[in-house]
Amino acid sequence: MSTQAGRSCPLHYRYRPQVFAGPASLGVETLYVVGGIYGNVVALRRVLQMKREEERRTGGRVDLFFNGDFNWFDCDAESFVEINEAVLEHHALRGNVETELAGAGDENGCGCNYPDYVDAAVVDRSNAIMQRLQNVAAAFPDLCARVAALPMFCSVEIGGQKIGIAHGDAESLAGWGFAYESMPALADEPVASSQYRSSHETTARIFREARVAAFASTHSGLPFLQDFEVDGRRRLVINNGAAGLPNFEGLRFGVLTRISSRAEMPTESLYGTTLESLRFDALAIHYDAAAWLKRFLDQWPAGSPAHEGYFSRITRGPDFSIELAVRLAPGHRGISNRAAAITP
């Protein structure tokens, strides 16, 4: 087993799926689950604007839930304060980045718990970004203490259904069990793409123990929506990928997860599905990509670890498509007309 910092999963990151089985911590009508802002203040401002726009349009309330890694590239004091103070005004979990902000040592690195299929150079760059972010955070101990006090998981009730909110997966703050690469294979999926897939039996066990209708997560970088049958009932995992980074090749917007007791599909939905009384959708966060790129380059010029690790994704997106993100059983598959229109 590798001992490289950033590969390990600290014991205090871990929990059991049963932590989601208790009473929900809050009840809402419509929730935006926003994971992986990654210090992109331009994307954060757009999310806040989206909330206000839907509330004006529908007359209903929209709650925000930031489920971790809202920090990353915000290595200037102004952005760091804006990101964290804004998040703390809403519901939030801490991610591995927030957990390691005030880390006294470097044994955990970024706390990302990277799996073996992630290249060692990626891990080293992430550890270097974390060190720089920790240097900025050291000037704001009170703010960091408030962030460190955030929980690692939460259960939310929406429309009579209980939803588990996690940063990583159902068993660890930095777990990769809800990564696209880890999801149980589809019946028509090539065997070669299933090398790291978990089993349907494992997923069923997690849902039985957690007693939730769905999980919403982030952490692992690629968005998707996948459904399962567990004891005769349909269950979902929805991962928003990253709110502050492009998620699809050639498309420079972030993604958030919208969960609502309102039955209608939002006109801006990229893809989604209905589960009993709830509507689940992936929404694009159309932030000003040029403005964000300028801010990024001001802090992370060519040759810096963040530039080497993320410039390509920020400017071109990952090698991933909206079609790949839709992992639903026959009868539930399909993407919105809007998504089809913007797919390269």
Side-chain angles (χ1 to χ4, degrees):
M1 181 179 293
S2 173
T3 58
Q4 182 184 18
R7 293 279 193 194
S8 62
C9 183
L11 287 175
H12 64 90
Y13 277 23
R14 300 177 185 177
Y15 44 80
R16 296 174 61 82
Q18 288 89 338
V19 300
F20 298 95
S25 300
L26 70 148
V28 299
E29 178 184 53
T30 297
L31 191 69
Y32 287 0
V33 184
V34 186
I37 286 284
Y38 293 130
N40 183 343
V41 295
V42 183
L44 173 65
R45 294 167 188 167
R46 177 59 187 148
V47 169
L48 297 174
Q49 183 181 22
M50 290 171 66
K51 164 186 161 64
R52 294 191 295 268
E53 288 173 352
E54 178 165 345
E55 289 177 333
R56 284 196 298 267
R57 187 171 65 248
T58 65
R61 175 170 173 167
V62 175
D63 284 270
L64 299 183
F65 203 122
F66 294 90
N67 60 330
D69 287 2
F70 30 95
N71 295 282
W72 197 227
F73 303 126
D74 47 330
C75 288
D76 62 289
E78 181 182 359
S79 296
F80 183 82
V81 171
E82 179 178 350
I83 288 280
N84 288 284
E85 287 189 343
V87 166
L88 289 169
E89 292 179 0
H90 301 276
H91 309 294
L93 302 177
R94 55 188 161 96
N96 53 282
V97 174
E98 289 73 41
T99 302
E100 298 300 328
L101 273 182
D106 59 3
E107 64 274 7
N108 295 333
C110 58
C112 301
N113 189 32
Y114 282 117
D116 290 343
Y117 58 79
V118 175
D119 187 83
V122 173
V123 184
D124 287 339
R125 287 193 293 264
S126 293
N127 291 339
I129 294 169
M130 189 73 242
Q131 287 182 339
R132 182 174 170 189
L133 185 61
Q134 287 171 335
N135 291 338
V136 175
F140 304 97
D142 293 341
L143 187 56
C144 289
R146 292 169 60 201
V147 170
L150 293 172
M152 294 192 291
F153 49 81
C154 184
S155 295
V156 178
E157 184 176 321
I158 308 175
Q161 299 291 319
K162 193 164 63 173
I163 311 300
I165 311 291
H167 176 68
D169 61 29
E171 297 179 303
S172 170
L173 177 148
W176 287 68
F178 290 158
Y180 172 82
E181 297 87 347
S182 299
M183 283 289 96
L186 304 178
D188 55 355
E189 192 165 31
V191 174
S193 70
S194 304
Q195 182 178 358
Y196 303 103
R197 305 284 188 201
S198 62
S199 68
H200 286 273
E201 290 77 12
T202 297
T203 303
R205 172 188 61 80
I206 287 171
F207 273 103
R208 291 187 190 108
E209 293 176 0
R211 299 181 184 178
V212 297
F215 281 103
S217 67
T218 182
H219 181 57
S220 53
L222 296 178
F224 68 87
L225 170 62
Q226 184 163 349
D227 58 1
F228 310 88
E229 184 174 314
V230 180
D231 300 331
R233 302 190 69 177
R234 189 162 169 253
R235 296 290 181 248
L236 295 175
V237 173
I238 185 165
N239 186 321
N240 76 291
L245 290 173
N247 290 268
F248 307 107
E249 185 174 11
L251 300 174
R252 295 173 67 181
F253 54 73
V255 173
L256 64 79
T257 293
R258 178 186 183 271
I259 310 172
S260 181
S261 58
R262 295 174 177 265
E264 65 274 11
M265 180 182 75
T267 56
E268 63 272 28
S269 173
L270 294 171
Y271 53 85
T273 192
T274 298
L275 177 67
E276 298 184 8
S277 61
L278 297 184
R279 180 72 202 180
F280 293 75
D281 289 278
L283 303 187
I285 305 170
H286 288 288
Y287 55 81
D288 186 333
W292 165 237
L293 180 60
K294 182 181 184 305
R295 294 181 70 104
F296 175 82
L297 291 175
D298 285 345
Q299 293 298 320
W300 300 99
S304 67
H307 190 284
E308 291 182 2
Y310 291 93
F311 181 76
S312 176
R313 176 156 180 173
I314 289 172
T315 55
R316 294 189 290 273
D319 181 15
F320 194 68
S321 68
I322 293 175
E323 288 85 356
L324 290 174
V326 182
R327 300 176 58 80
L328 299 175
H332 297 288
R333 291 184 184 178
I335 60 176
S336 72
N337 292 333
R338 182 174 182 275
I342 63 176
T343 302

